[in-house]
Amino acid sequence: MNAVDALVSYALDANLIEPCETLWARNVVLDALKSDGIPEIEVPEGAALHEILDAMTAWALPDAGVVYRDLLDTEIMGRLTPRPAEVQRTFAALYEESPEKATDWYYRFSQATNYIRKDRIAKDVQWKAPTAYGDLDITINLSKPEKDPKAIAAARNMPASAYPICLLCAENEGYAGRVNHPARQNHRTVPITINGSPWFLQYSPYVYYHEHCICFNRVHTPMKIDRACFGKLMDFVRQFPHYFVGSNADLPIVGGSILAHDHFQGGHYTFPMEKAPGETAVSFCGFPDVRAAIVKWPMSVLRLTGADPDRIVTLADRVLGCWRAYSDPEAFIFAETEGVPHNTITPIARRRGTDYEMDLVLRNNITTAEHPLGVFHPHAELHHIKKENIGLIEVMGLAVLPARLKEELQAVADALVSGADMAASPLTEKHAAWAESFRGKYAFTEGNALSIVRAETGKVFAQVLEHAGVYKRDAAGKEAFLRFVEYVNRPEAAG
């Protein structure tokens, strides 16, 4: 079947175009391909969207790498993607029926346009790992393509551009992209109002979990954890009660990768942290209507639950204000050093039945000579598995691990079966001491080795989260956590 006709047929089946638009659709695709006629590009009957686009870009750009082909296939799909007003009208109409119907449709639509590249997401390696904190989610991220040398060289030589300012800005919608900025012609956002201010809703193109959404401020303004942030999170779950939503912290090391643009992440997914039970009930003066507990979790989490979201926001703001100013040298917690602030919070909001709930994860980004990347950050002995910052997604119990680990963990498993010297291979040398620590616990076979290595990787991730927790899981750590709760309950803090 001809690839152009296959793509038009796909767009029709995916409700991207109407039957009366098929000739127009063919011609706009030809225009994107810079072809005067229908090129001889054949694909199998029933070919998937990525197979059709791969055939087209291979024909149009036979010597190009993935960056240039991505720019072209996004342009092609952009020609077939409905205009923003049409998308917004559909979402609004479905939202009137139910918020879940609206997001269900929008998520399918974002995949149909190839904005979410399902074929690449499918390459990610995922598993669940049992730990003392329940099953943790582990994923090896393979969906982000490696840039080819030509694209890297071209990007290096490009003049600096401040448009769009960042990857989250509203100006990305419909943008043609360049070698150092992804094309977004097939990207459509949905305007929403959160606590009276204009925001947008979209999905992450890399969807680390089901319906992984991003909501972002219309204005390019820095991340800030404050009372207004808590209010926006609660207003979001009021409007989309089937979604959770959370914010990265607003300080380096413990924050996300984009601190310059105020945004949240959410979705239709139950993370391991949400399943974790309250371990120690606590109470806060003046808030008998808010149930509070320290959560059984490797990081330091206060959970607030109640019927009135405004009351939770008020209490969360009190906790934040106290935490910003709080030092406890015995627990190596310092609010600031040499005028540099260290304490902040990673907040997550959700509905719990008819109640509202907010988890406040206490964070601190202090560094030392021994731990230059952060005291409350994965320590050096765990860097063979996870060295990167612990952001919102990891905080909630989903490890996003680097692509190198797919091959490296397989090599470790093979070496455990064969008895090979792991210190002698560049694939396994960094993992050798770790693997030796559990070699004697199991009888390894070709059938079970990789599963065992993956389970042990999950235990490492649990340790990563323990390192990121400001209060350790021992008796001294629990006692120190309760000292902070007492600090929040001081009369002067209660106001």
Side-chain angles (χ1 to χ4, degrees):
M1 184 177 188
N2 182 271
V4 174
D5 290 336
L7 183 59
V8 171
S9 178
Y10 166 86
L12 190 61
D13 291 342
N15 296 314
L16 298 179
I17 62 173
E18 300 289 339
C20 65
E21 297 174 321
T22 54
L23 291 178
W24 163 83
R26 174 193 286 171
N27 288 329
V28 296
V29 170
L30 295 178
D31 181 51
L33 290 170
K34 305 294 187 289
S35 178
D36 294 331
I38 300 177
E40 294 183 4
I41 311 171
E42 293 299 313
V43 295
E45 195 77 32
L49 175 60
H50 73 274
E51 294 172 324
I52 298 169
L53 293 172
D54 287 349
M56 287 182 168
T57 57
W59 175 85
L61 302 170
D63 299 320
V66 65
V67 171
Y68 291 100
R69 292 191 181 191
D70 280 2
L71 290 171
L72 177 57
D73 72 17
T74 304
E75 179 185 1
I76 292 169
M77 290 307 298
R79 303 292 184 98
L80 302 175
T81 300
R83 290 176 61 173
E86 184 179 341
V87 174
Q88 292 170 24
R89 281 194 297 268
T90 301
F91 185 92
L94 289 170
Y95 185 89
E96 289 300 312
E97 296 182 42
S98 84
E100 192 163 354
K101 279 189 178 180
T103 55
D104 283 351
W105 170 82
Y106 184 39
Y107 189 59
R108 291 194 304 270
F109 170 83
S110 298
Q111 295 175 84
T113 63
N114 209 42
Y115 169 69
I116 296 173
R117 295 174 181 264
K118 292 192 296 182
D119 60 302
R120 291 184 183 169
I121 305 301
K123 296 177 183 178
D124 289 348
V125 179
Q126 299 176 333
W127 69 92
K128 292 187 181 293
T131 73
Y133 308 102
D135 288 350
L136 299 182
D137 295 329
I138 314 293
T139 181
I140 298 176
N141 178 26
L142 303 172
S143 57
K144 290 185 180 180
E146 296 290 334
K147 290 186 176 180
D148 57 88
K150 289 182 180 179
I152 293 172
R156 188 183 304 119
N157 296 325
M158 286 189 69
S161 174
Y163 184 88
I165 296 174
C166 78
L167 291 170
L168 288 177
C169 285
E171 289 78 9
N172 282 281
E173 185 177 47
Y175 185 62
R178 51 187 190 267
V179 293
N180 61 354
H181 192 104
R184 290 290 184 254
Q185 292 106 318
N186 59 347
H187 178 39
R188 299 293 180 265
T189 61
V190 172
I192 57 176
T193 300
I194 306 182
N195 254 21
S197 59
W199 283 55
F200 286 95
L201 178 68
Q202 67 176 58
Y203 288 104
S204 166
Y206 303 111
V207 287
Y208 291 130
Y209 50 86
H210 186 57
E211 296 185 37
H212 178 181
C213 73
I214 299 172
C215 47
F216 60 96
N217 199 316
R218 173 65 182 86
V219 179
H220 182 82
T221 188
M223 301 275 291
K224 187 176 183 182
I225 303 299
D226 57 10
R227 183 188 179 97
C229 170
F230 299 147
K232 290 168 187 170
L233 294 176
M234 284 300 186
D235 193 37
F236 183 90
V237 296
R238 177 187 63 80
Q239 296 181 60
F240 299 95
H242 58 299
Y243 274 13
F244 82 90
V245 69
S247 174
N248 269 303
D250 55 358
L251 293 179
I253 297 176
V254 296
S257 58
I258 304 178
L259 292 178
H261 196 131
D262 196 13
H263 70 285
F264 306 141
Q265 295 183 77
H268 200 179
Y269 188 71
T270 302
F271 275 86
M273 190 172 79
E274 182 179 344
K275 300 174 187 176
E279 184 174 49
T280 304
V282 297
S283 60
F284 292 99
C285 297
F287 291 88
D289 53 332
V290 177
R291 303 186 300 281
I294 295 171
V295 178
K296 185 183 178 182
W297 193 244
M299 296 187 70
S300 307
V301 185
L302 274 174
R303 177 168 292 162
L304 310 179
T305 309
D308 185 345
D310 292 336
R311 294 284 289 163
I312 293 175
V313 167
T314 300
L315 178 52
D317 186 49
R318 183 203 289 184
V319 172
L320 174 66
C322 290
W323 180 244
R324 293 275 197 202
Y326 185 70
S327 293
D328 183 350
E330 187 178 339
F332 206 80
I333 292 169
F334 298 92
E336 58 87 21
T337 53
E338 299 180 353
V340 177
H342 297 306
N343 287 351
T344 186
I345 278 175
T346 299
I348 301 103
R350 65 181 73 90
R351 300 295 295 272
R352 184 82 71 170
T354 59
D355 280 339
Y356 289 80
E357 186 167 272
M358 184 173 287
D359 285 347
L360 302 175
V361 187
L362 306 181
R363 312 297 302 274
N364 180 289
N365 74 346
I366 195 169
T367 61
T368 63
E370 183 183 2
H371 300 296
L373 298 181
V375 172
F376 305 107
H377 177 89
H379 293 176
E381 66 270 22
L382 306 183
H383 287 179
H384 66 105
I385 296 294
K386 180 71 174 176
K387 183 179 182 180
E388 299 78 15
N389 291 350
I390 303 305
L392 172 68
I393 293 173
E394 286 90 359
V395 163
M396 296 185 292
L398 193 162
V400 181
L401 301 180
R404 64 175 173 81
L405 285 177
K406 180 182 180 183
E407 187 177 9
E408 291 176 6
L409 295 183
Q410 182 64 64
V412 168
D414 293 343
L416 287 168
V417 173
S418 68
D421 180 7
M422 280 182 264
S425 167
L427 283 178
T428 56
E429 60 179 339
K430 66 176 70 70
H431 304 292
W434 166 63
E436 289 298 334
S437 73
F438 62 82
R439 183 194 285 272
K441 298 178 183 178
Y442 307 97
F444 291 97
T445 68
E446 290 184 0
N448 70 11
L450 184 58
S451 294
I452 292 170
V453 169
R454 287 180 174 178
E456 291 292 332
T457 301
K459 294 177 184 177
V460 173
F461 180 54
Q463 287 181 276
V464 162
L465 296 182
E466 288 173 342
H467 286 189
V470 295
Y471 294 117
K472 302 313 170 189
R473 294 286 305 161
D474 56 17
K478 293 178 181 180
E479 184 179 326
F481 203 155
L482 290 174
R483 284 201 299 272
F484 173 65
V485 172
E486 292 173 5
Y487 181 83
V488 177
N489 275 324
R490 292 170 307 140
E492 54 268 39

